[in-house]
Amino acid sequence: MARLRVAVLISGRGSNLQALLDACGEGGFPAEIVLVLSNRPDAAGLDRARRAGVPTRILDHKVFASREAFDEAMDGLLRTASADLVCLAGFMRLLTPGFVQAWQDRLINIHPSLLPSFKGLHTHRQALDAGVTIHGCTVHFVTADLDAGPILVQAAVPVHPDDDEDSLAARVLEAEHRIYPLALRWLGEGRISTENNRVRVSNGTAAIYPLINPAA
Ligand code: GAR
């Protein structure tokens, strides 16, 4: 079966991009990254793509007159690359409704919280302030509403009493690097369907044990 052609949109470090690149480099993985696009010329993730031999493009949002013009340019590059799927990986730009509509069901994001909790920015700060003992990350389809589309997969991590934003972010990030490739694999294998805002993974297996924190 043909591999899913994936474009990854980044704004910075690109550690999730790296996780996707590594997965796509595994034999038999059902997706390939055909384009990495950054809105920031200095995004460190661009080097990760170059090292992996993946084409990169920079669209500096500052040189566009409007959000619409920026998204139209992005749409053009994605179509030229014949992307089947767009993965947002630390892409810190709001997308226009037109763009989201055009890529509906073919646009996914990773967010550093257990949605619908802690949308937006500073999710680890939000989790610490709320006093939750379990936090995590979510891969979801992107819809017009911010951080609200159908959820593909989530991972939970414990919050430790002595955590600060950095330690918690690091624990969540490790989980991000596990679930983003997983979601991409399922999409590439054609195992994902959505009904009434709920995603089903065919032949998916439910996690067996609840994470209870504190444990005793
Ligand atoms: C990740 O933690 C990702 O979940 C988050 O930005 C970080 C990017 O790191 N994304 C968002 O907050 C989107 N709203 P990375 O560049 O190393 O992948």
Side-chain angles (χ1 to χ4, degrees):
M1 209 164 95
R3 294 200 289 169
L4 198 65
R5 294 175 63 82
V6 178
V8 184
L9 272 46
I10 62 168
S11 298
R13 176 178 58 180
S15 71
N16 276 291
L17 164 66
Q18 189 68 56
L20 297 178
L21 286 167
D22 291 348
C24 289
E26 289 165 14
F29 196 82
E32 61 179 321
I33 300 179
V34 296
L35 176 67
V36 171
L37 198 158
S38 173
N39 67 309
R40 302 186 83 99
D42 58 348
L46 287 166
D47 285 332
R48 299 179 188 268
R50 291 181 191 121
R51 274 199 296 276
V54 170
T56 59
R57 295 299 297 264
I58 296 164
L59 275 186
D60 187 346
H61 60 273
K62 292 194 213 92
V63 308
F64 288 86
S66 66
R67 242 175 232 289
E68 284 71 19
F70 174 76
D71 281 9
E72 266 168 39
M74 208 160 55
D75 182 75
L77 291 179
L78 296 170
R79 286 177 197 278
T80 303
S82 301
D84 302 313
L85 179 79
V86 178
C87 293
L88 308 181
F91 185 68
M92 305 312 261
R93 297 280 305 163
L94 291 175
L95 297 166
T96 55
F99 182 90
V100 171
Q101 174 73 35
W103 290 90
Q104 194 184 358
D105 300 326
R106 298 179 297 155
L107 179 58
I108 64 175
N109 180 44
I110 186 149
H111 182 78
S113 78
L114 288 172
L115 290 172
S117 291
F118 315 136
K119 296 177 179 178
L121 298 175
H122 310 298
T123 56
H124 310 305
R125 178 80 265 151
Q126 292 188 56
L128 290 170
D129 288 348
V132 295
T133 67
I134 294 173
H135 183 40
C137 49
T138 303
V139 178
H140 64 97
F141 285 105
V142 175
T143 57
D145 297 325
L146 181 70
D147 299 332
I151 291 170
L152 278 150
V153 57
Q154 297 185 299
V157 304
V159 180
H160 297 167
D162 52 356
D163 267 335
D164 58 18
E165 268 181 87
D166 289 346
S167 60
L168 187 53
R171 195 170 309 120
V172 171
L173 195 63
E174 254 182 59
E176 292 184 42
H177 297 163
R178 292 173 65 167
I179 65 170
Y180 216 178
L182 200 57
L184 185 54
R185 172 183 287 281
W186 293 336
L187 284 160
E189 290 172 346
R191 291 169 57 188
I192 298 292
S193 57
T194 310
E195 205 182 315
N196 297 332
N197 205 42
R198 288 179 73 175
V199 171
R200 184 180 290 270
V201 184
S202 63
N203 301 321
T205 313
I208 297 168
Y209 295 105
L211 172 60
I212 299 173
N213 185 49

